[in-house]
Amino acid sequence: MRLRCAVLDDYQRVATEVADWSPVSESVDVVSYDTHFPDEDALAAALADADIVVTLRERVPFPGSLLARLPRLKLIVASGMRNSVIDYAAAETHGVTVCGTASSSTPPVELTWALLLGLARGIVQEGNGLREGGPWQQTVGADLHDRRLGLLGLGRIGGRVARVGLAFGMRVSAWSQNLTRERAEEVGVELAPSKEELLRTADFVSVHLALGERTRGLLGPAELALLKPTAYLVNTSRAAVVDQEALLAALHEGRIAGAGVDVFDTEPLPAAHPMRTAPRLLATPHLGYVSRANYATYYGQAVEAIAAYLAGSPVRRLPVPAPPGPGPA
């Protein structure tokens, strides 16, 4: 009996192009979906006859209630080695193995700088004006050299963002609950004495924190009020780290110069969502990890995980036990 593998959120329809699926083609039929299922009922109906699911990042939750409705499901392969929207206990209860893949930090680092530079130099506004016959030069660009870049989080991604900032000649400082002076010195940046001081002094603030109880809503109305009116905020991490209503208010009231956002409270973003029309906002549809090389890794290792599971030796099983002790965020 052939197995059915469902690939979710294959918006660009590239899942079967960027990787070689031939190692499992004799026993597995692959069906990809290029649209997002809006709720659990729709997802349960689509996956009713799926034995295997390949899901990207944390775009699709797999709570216990959904897993209970998918009796045929035996394997989930999620891109990356961390996924907070899969109920691992329920997966074990229902006999579902969960595996991950490698994931490069390069694409989100590059997108962070695309947003930051786009904001600083008014790229979209100026580009659209040129194409549409608008005014010749509308904005005065914000300088990066000798300006302060404040990073919330200095882990794998934040550290690489910091090094690019240093290459631009920026003064870079960082803060997180777990950040140590040793880690800051290793990257070559200043350790901000507090979150509040980082926000008060930065010309550009970029968020690179994992979402958890301590980081959810970390930037609320009081924190955003500390930003300079000339400051820019970039978030390519998780939407819930920043209070969305407070951010919208700051943008509409002109209390910050602008924001670059790649992550949202609801994805895909509904057509009438206020983030689609907010002023001073440069927004992208969660492209942080979307690059050809990363997709080749995701789907190539998904094929590898499926083949290993069928051979009785699953690889890269999730969840991975957390290392002991605190580390840099």
Side-chain angles (χ1 to χ4, degrees):
M1 179 178 176
R2 295 184 63 80
L3 303 178
R4 183 175 185 270
C5 172
V7 179
L8 300 180
D9 290 348
D10 184 17
Y11 299 128
Q12 299 91 352
R13 302 183 198 127
V14 296
T16 56
E17 296 176 11
V18 298
D20 178 11
W21 289 76
S22 62
V24 298
S25 61
E26 291 187 3
S27 55
V28 178
D29 293 320
V30 179
V31 178
S32 71
Y33 295 94
D34 60 5
T35 57
H36 186 79
F37 295 102
D39 53 45
E40 185 176 305
D41 288 341
L43 192 59
L47 301 181
D49 58 352
D51 305 281
I52 303 164
V53 169
V54 176
T55 182
L56 281 178
R57 303 303 298 169
E58 296 168 322
R59 295 176 183 173
V60 179
F62 280 85
S65 56
L66 174 61
L67 294 169
R69 300 170 69 176
L70 303 175
R72 281 189 54 167
L73 183 63
K74 296 302 176 188
L75 175 65
I76 297 174
V77 183
S79 61
M81 290 300 293
R82 179 169 58 188
N83 194 302
S84 64
V85 298
I86 296 173
D87 187 331
Y88 295 108
E92 184 175 4
T93 297
H94 293 286
V96 179
T97 299
V98 183
C99 297
T101 74
S103 181
S104 171
S105 61
T106 298
V109 170
E110 293 175 351
L111 184 71
T112 295
W113 280 102
L115 290 173
L116 195 153
L117 289 165
L119 285 167
R121 299 306 296 268
I123 298 297
V124 175
Q125 183 178 350
E126 296 287 3
N128 288 344
L130 187 147
R131 293 173 62 87
E132 297 166 5
W136 183 260
Q137 297 187 5
Q138 306 173 61
T139 63
V140 177
D143 296 281
L144 271 61
H145 182 78
D146 204 34
R147 298 304 190 268
R148 183 167 293 280
L149 171 63
L151 300 176
L152 293 169
L154 196 64
R156 191 167 58 125
I157 295 174
R160 297 183 67 176
V161 170
R163 292 183 176 99
V164 177
L166 293 170
F168 274 116
M170 301 184 79
R171 293 174 287 125
V172 184
S173 57
W175 176 91
S176 76
Q177 291 98 331
N178 293 333
L179 184 58
T180 64
R181 187 170 303 279
E182 290 74 22
R183 169 59 179 169
E185 290 176 352
E186 174 190 334
V187 180
V189 307
E190 301 171 32
L191 175 63
S194 66
K195 173 183 65 177
E196 290 75 17
E197 183 65 14
L198 180 142
L199 295 173
R200 273 193 293 264
T201 58
D203 299 293
F204 299 87
V205 174
S206 191
V207 180
H208 302 287
L209 294 166
L211 182 62
E213 289 308 310
R214 294 194 301 170
T215 59
R216 187 178 298 276
L218 187 73
L219 297 188
E223 288 78 16
L224 293 177
L226 297 174
L227 292 171
K228 302 176 184 179
T230 55
Y232 295 90
L233 174 68
V234 176
N235 186 7
T236 57
S237 180
R238 292 291 182 268
V241 175
V242 181
D243 183 309
Q244 301 295 284
E245 293 301 321
L247 176 58
L248 283 167
L251 291 169
H252 279 284
E253 295 166 15
R255 289 189 276 109
I256 60 174
V261 174
D262 186 50
V263 287
F264 306 92
D265 53 3
T266 302
E267 296 184 6
L269 205 59
H273 197 286
M275 280 287 185
R276 286 188 180 267
T277 54
R280 304 176 182 84
L281 177 68
L282 176 56
T284 48
H286 205 156
L287 299 177
Y289 287 90
V290 180
S291 77
R292 183 159 293 275
N294 229 16
Y295 268 31
T297 296
Y298 288 167
Y299 292 118
Q301 291 195 3
V303 174
E304 180 183 274
I306 293 168
Y309 173 81
L310 296 179
S313 302
V315 293
R316 295 182 298 274
R317 295 189 69 161
L318 298 179
V320 176

